[in-house]
Amino acid sequence: MSEKEKMDKENTHRQSSKPEEKNKGREVTTEREDGRKETEEMNARKEHFHPSTRSIQNTAHCKHSYSPKRVAVRPCLKQSEAEDELGGEVEAVSEEKDNKVKRKKKKKNKDAKNSEENEEPAAEVSDPKDDIEGDSVDEAEYYAWNELRLLPLLMKAIYSLGFKEPTPIQKACIPAAAHQGKDVIGAAETRSGKTLAFGLPIFQRFLEEREKADNMFAEKGEAAEKIAPSRLLQALIITPTRELALQVTDHLKEVAKGTNFRVVPIVGGMSTEKQERLLKARPKIVVGTPGRLWELMSGGELHLVEFTSETVGEVKAVADMHQRKAEMAKHSDAFIALPGWCISAS
Ligand SMILES: Nc1ncnc2c1ncn2[C@@H]1O[C@H](COP(=O)(O)OP(=O)(O)OP(=O)(O)O)[C@@H](O)[C@H]1O
């Protein structure tokens, strides 16, 4: 046996008889770390497949990271499972949550009470001018009406009807008829607002006349009565059908609410006696159909035959009246001026 072989044999013997001496220091530590790693991996694997922890592991793939509180409110973990896992923490979390909700509710109620208390005085100081039957009006929304320069009483009626802006036929007719005293022939499709296109100028003129009369009365006293507007009929509106006459009457009555001007329908299908009674009250505005108007005029109904300053009619109705114009002119001054204004959908 060579020298080298002898030495190798001796080394081999030493290694097998004293392993702890050889593995001192770094090598031992490595073995321990490997062992711990292996144990941790095994535990993790066991935990992953353990039924009580499985849901929790699954939630780890959710968007939010795992936390006991989140698990407690997540639907993927049953309450009993969560309780097992978290040892009563579920109850604590939900109690805490309940308390939070209660505190929030309390705060909300307190805030609502405070804002109510703060709002009350604001309502008290609102300007009564802006108040139309309890609803305040945002005048900026009605800006387009300003161009038409209607009197405040009429603007109030428009606010209460809620018409934010005039329709095209109203924009076209109102300035010429209300402020320039022109005769107007207007045509616009049905339901386009023609009634107020002639109705508002009529009321504007009547209100201006009334204002003038009031001023004159204040200046001249009793002497003004001779020149003040009389109780004669001042506007005659002629429509081709009874339904339209009633519709126009209703619409004008809405605008006339604040003015105390009376509007009366004179149409077929109603008792003549009743209509004579209505005319005796000397309404300022009559809305009628040609047949019944003719019947009452030729019967000598004074309020219709004396005088009218404005005549408005649908083309068909006016044409119908024109056929009898010569005869009618014997009875009423109104028809000499026909047509005053002619408004039509046709
Ligand atoms: N400026 C406005 N803004 C909004 N609605 C309006 C306005 N003017 C009138 N109206 C409404 O439009 C509807 C139609 O108006 P109106 O009856 O005057 O139309 P018309 O053209 O005379 O209809 P018809 O041809 O059937 O007689 C009514 O309900 C009326 O209240």
Side-chain angles (χ1 to χ4, degrees), residues 167-179:
T167 62
I169 186 76
Q170 290 165 356
K171 269 189 207 159
C173 286
I174 292 172
H179 307 300

Side-chain angles (χ1 to χ4, degrees), residues 106 239 244 308 346:
K106 221 174 169 183
T239 68
L244 192 54
T308 63
S346 48

Side-chain angles (χ1 to χ4, degrees), residues 149 249 334:
R149 292 181 290 122
T249 307

Side-chain angles (χ1 to χ4, degrees), residues 1-165:
M1 194 184 282
S2 70
E3 195 72 22
K4 194 177 177 269
E5 281 171 330
K6 271 185 197 171
M7 277 173 73
D8 284 345
K9 206 176 172 184
E10 213 177 291
N11 280 346
T12 316
H13 176 74
R14 259 187 234 149
Q15 273 176 13
S16 60
S17 60
K18 291 183 183 174
E20 60 287 342
E21 271 179 43
K22 196 195 166 203
N23 292 335
K24 257 184 200 168
R26 195 168 55 85
E27 278 178 33
V28 171
T29 317
T30 309
E31 197 177 297
R32 271 201 210 131
E33 274 178 9
D34 286 344
R36 198 192 301 149
K37 267 188 195 164
E38 198 183 320
T39 319
E40 276 173 5
E41 265 176 35
M42 277 174 68
N43 285 344
R45 246 178 266 137
K46 265 192 241 158
E47 216 180 334
H48 184 72
F49 291 104
H50 191 276
S52 68
T53 56
R54 187 143 188 196
S55 319
I56 300 172
Q57 293 297 331
N58 286 342
T59 60
H61 301 294
C62 296
K63 199 176 159 193
H64 306 291
S65 61
Y66 167 77
S67 94
K69 281 185 188 176
R70 280 219 178 91
V71 171
V73 291
R74 264 193 197 143
C76 62
L77 190 69
K78 282 183 192 163
Q79 171 136 348
S80 57
E81 284 175 338
E83 272 172 359
D84 286 343
E85 187 68 25
L86 302 165
E89 197 173 349
V90 175
E91 198 53 47
V93 170
S94 56
E95 245 178 48
E96 194 186 316
K97 204 183 153 209
D98 282 351
N99 287 341
K100 254 189 190 171
V101 171
K102 275 181 198 165
R103 275 202 298 275
K104 263 190 190 172
K105 266 189 187 169
K106 221 174 169 183
K107 194 171 177 278
K108 227 178 175 181
N109 288 342
K110 207 178 165 186
D111 287 349
K113 214 178 161 189
N114 283 345
S115 64
E116 263 173 33
E117 278 168 12
N118 290 339
E119 273 166 20
E120 270 170 20
E124 273 170 27
V125 295
S126 72
D127 187 349
K129 260 202 297 184
D130 293 339
D131 212 63
I132 307 291
E133 286 170 10
D135 299 325
S136 63
V137 171
D138 180 359
E139 288 186 23
E141 282 187 72
Y142 294 82
Y143 180 78
W145 284 102
N146 291 346
E147 283 173 32
L148 303 182
R149 292 181 290 122
L150 294 169
L151 291 165
L153 211 56
L154 297 178
M155 286 306 295
K156 199 175 164 183
I158 289 163
Y159 294 153
S160 61
L161 287 169
F163 297 163
K164 301 270 177 344
E165 56 178 335

